[in-house]
Amino acid sequence: MTAAAARAVAGSLEPEPALDRLDLVAAPVADALRALPAGLAADCLVAAIDPGLADTAAFCEAYGSPLEASANCVVVAGARSGERRFAACVVLATTRADVNTVVRKRLDVRKASFAPMDEAVELTGMAYGGITPFGVPAGWPVLVDAAVVATPAVVVGSGLRESKLLVPGAVLAELPGAEVLEGLGR
């Protein structure tokens, strides 16, 4: 990520290389960052924040980070023949994930909905309000809206409420299980 792209989304944050500050991310996120190819991992930054300001709108307002450069990750669940299926969906904060059409079809389930908070937290090993596509359980598809991938630098959760990751949107397309989908965010 270029320094200019990082500055454009950082606002008043002071980001550092994520691999140098794995103490600021959840354990599964640290493992995912370590597993990235070196060039991609080097482009991932992390910044400490007030955990009370982890929700996107509050974070953007407090730190001066543009809303259009924030991406939200939601866990969606559905069932088919008694089998629960999950996906991590990443869309820009200015949009909402099309759960009822795009995600439902991709999961091949009759009905898809946001996973209950307790279940999402337990399955991901991440804090609610900090869930990120980095380090979701193996086998889950990571559905990333094409608009996120096209963003030079995007702010996502770190697995914890007390920090944020700043990454090139294209890095999200390289995560295990990642699938870039047009129209995921509406």
Side-chain angles (χ1 to χ4, degrees), residues 53-83:
L53 299 171
D55 294 333
T56 305
F59 163 79
C60 289
E61 183 177 334
Y63 293 99
S65 181
L67 185 63
E68 59 275 7
S70 286
N72 293 326
C73 180
V74 295
V75 176
V76 176
R80 164 77 78 189
S81 304
E83 173 198 1

Side-chain angles (χ1 to χ4, degrees), residues 159-181:
L160 303 173
R161 290 185 64 85
E162 48 263 28
S163 61
K164 293 285 187 181
L165 290 171
L166 292 77
V167 303
V171 167
L172 302 178
E174 302 301 321
L175 295 175
E179 299 174 28
V180 178
L181 300 175

